[in-house]
Amino acid sequence: VGFFYIIRMKKEEITMTKKIAILTSNNSKILEAITDYFKDNKDVEITCLSDIVDSEPLKKAQELGIKNRYLPNEENTQYFGANNFDIVAIADYEQEISASTIECSKFINLHPSLLPAFEGKDSLQRAYTSGVKVSGITIHHVTDENFYDKIIAQYPVLIGLTTHFGEFCAEIDTVSAKVYPVVIDTLLNDKVFDFQDLFKSSCHKSGGCSGNCDNCH
């Protein structure tokens, strides 16, 4: 009886629903990208959380039929302590997150620069006006001791001589939407992110290779 119970438990663990929380103030593009990436995965549940009432992400989540909630910053610790998320993915969250909140779950953050350059707020504007020719995004762990903790992935974005600020921001959005969902997927499966995963993701989404092309091996 004990042997079969162990087998049953392992099977339940394998098929257990993974829960993702997207914590954002007003970034609906990231929500759409993550939702689209996991749309065919029935074992992943996404919840959109925003500290702004009637924000674009909350409206978009309602359109997409995703769980969503207005979550005031002062209620973060209580909420995350009471809800067991496998990953809390932060994107353009405008409030400071307390150490007591971060202790409740595994937090990661999408930052619009190549850390350690341009930490903090207004990273896009500061990078653009600084004269650097390469910026990009960084996805990193968040701990109660260090918000900008261990880097998981970085991806560059070039700033040409004729690149307008709006074009630069749009490219940052495009890269973020491409990389962030793949990083979340690898973490959910307890894997280390590899840039080959980006090629596999693009290939599978195109519906062309069924896992048999060179990029997938």
Side-chain angles (χ1 to χ4, degrees):
V1 176
F3 176 74
F4 287 108
Y5 176 75
I6 292 173
I7 292 177
R8 181 181 178 185
M9 286 295 293
K10 287 184 176 180
K11 184 177 180 181
E12 288 177 351
E13 290 173 1
I14 292 173
T15 58
M16 187 179 296
T17 299
K18 301 291 181 68
K19 296 183 178 182
I20 304 169
I22 302 172
L23 183 62
T24 181
S25 291
N26 213 23
N27 192 328
S28 59
K29 294 178 181 177
I30 283 296
L31 171 67
E32 289 186 79
I34 295 173
T35 302
D36 182 64
Y37 182 91
F38 288 103
K39 65 182 179 182
D40 296 324
N41 191 332
K42 305 302 181 184
D43 296 325
V44 172
E45 179 182 281
I46 298 172
T47 300
C48 176
L49 304 167
S50 176
D51 62 311
I52 299 177
V53 179
D54 295 328
S55 66
E56 286 303 315
L58 293 181
K59 293 177 182 177
K60 179 58 65 174
Q62 292 169 9
E63 288 180 24
L64 298 172
I66 299 168
K67 287 186 176 182
N68 61 91
R69 171 176 171 155
Y70 161 61
L71 182 64
N73 181 262
E74 60 271 18
E75 296 180 13
N76 279 348
T77 301
Q78 179 182 0
Y79 177 80
F80 287 111
N83 291 271
N84 186 24
F85 290 103
D86 293 277
I87 290 178
V88 180
I90 308 169
D92 293 328
Y93 188 66
E94 298 175 358
Q95 304 285 344
E96 183 175 343
I97 303 175
S98 68
S100 59
T101 296
I102 295 171
E103 289 175 349
C104 296
S105 190
K106 178 187 287 186
F107 283 77
I108 61 173
N109 181 55
L110 169 67
H111 186 75
S113 78
L114 294 177
L115 294 174
F118 308 109
E119 282 188 7
K121 297 182 179 180
D122 302 320
S123 300
L124 290 172
Q125 185 68 52
R126 287 189 289 127
Y128 183 78
T129 57
S130 71
V132 298
K133 300 307 177 186
V134 181
S135 188
I137 66 165
T138 301
I139 300 167
H140 61 89
H141 290 286
V142 177
T143 67
D144 56 340
E145 296 180 350
N146 183 17
F147 184 84
Y148 297 103
D149 208 73
K150 185 178 179 181
I151 291 173
I152 304 169
Q154 291 184 308
Y155 201 97
V157 171
L158 302 181
I159 306 175
L161 292 175
T162 60
T163 301
H164 297 294
F165 181 64
E167 295 173 327
F168 169 53
C169 292
E171 184 62 20
I172 288 288
D173 286 342
T174 298
V175 168
S176 299
K178 177 181 180 181
V179 181
Y180 210 16
V182 180
V183 169
I184 293 171
D185 193 14
T186 58
L187 292 176
L188 283 178
N189 291 285
D190 295 321
K191 296 179 180 179
V192 176
F193 173 77
D194 189 302
F195 277 99
Q196 286 295 323
D197 295 329
L198 292 177
F199 296 108
K200 294 176 184 178
S201 171
S202 298
C203 193
H204 287 310
K205 278 189 170 295
S206 70
C209 77
S210 300
N212 296 315
C213 71
D214 291 339
N215 285 335
C216 292
H217 296 285

